[in-house]
């Protein structure tokens, strides 16, 4: 017997895709924002002092400092070029505020 909310009794509607007894339907995988995720992966490889990722839900690029900082250092942007600029600005700000440790990749 089908679930009452899936197929109302005496209904002339066709059973839904997930109804009991329906044949399975192949669902194709969608590769959402593949170009942006690829750009984030390339920037992540090019910037060893940062962890770079792309948020599918937010559709924004994020970078997290991968070296000891005085406070969590996260920057976000709508494109890779803006993110790279914000990363350089954050590095300079961190260098000015705390010269205790700056990774070699970031030193001016």
């Amino acid at each position: 017997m089908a679930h009452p909310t899936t197929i109302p009794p005496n209904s002339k509607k066709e059973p839904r895709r997930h109804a009991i007894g329906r044949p399975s339907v192949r669902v194709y995988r969608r590769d959402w924002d593949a170009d942006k995720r690829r750009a984030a992966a390339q920037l992540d490889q090019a910037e060893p002092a940062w962890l770079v990722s792309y948020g599918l839900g937010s559709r924004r690029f994020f970078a997290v400092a991968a070296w000891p900082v005085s406070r969590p250092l996260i920057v976000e942007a709508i494109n890779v070029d803006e993110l790279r600029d914000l990363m350089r600005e954050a590095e300079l700000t961190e260098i000015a505020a705390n010269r205790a440790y700056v990774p070699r990749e970031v030193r001016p």
Side-chain angles (χ1 to χ4, degrees), residues 23-84:
S24 62
V25 177
R26 183 166 178 83
V27 179
Y28 295 97
R29 181 177 184 267
R30 293 187 176 112
D31 201 9
W32 300 103
D33 294 338
D35 56 333
K36 293 181 179 176
R37 291 187 298 128
R38 200 171 14 261
Q42 288 172 350
L43 184 59
D44 186 47
Q45 289 294 314
E47 298 285 347
W50 293 87
L51 171 73
V52 179
S53 66
Y54 176 74
L56 286 173
S58 64
R59 295 209 160 156
R60 295 182 68 84
F61 292 90
F62 296 91
V64 180
W67 75 89
V69 291
S70 56
R71 57 179 169 60
L73 184 54
I74 303 170
V75 293
E76 63 179 273
I78 59 171
N79 61 46
V80 174
D81 295 328
E82 182 185 354
L83 184 68
R84 189 178 288 119

Side-chain angles (χ1 to χ4, degrees), residues 5-23:
T5 59
T6 304
I7 307 170
N10 303 323
S11 172
K12 299 205 187 271
K13 290 171 63 175
E14 179 144 340
R16 296 184 181 149
R17 178 175 19 180
H18 298 291
I20 296 173
R22 293 283 294 186

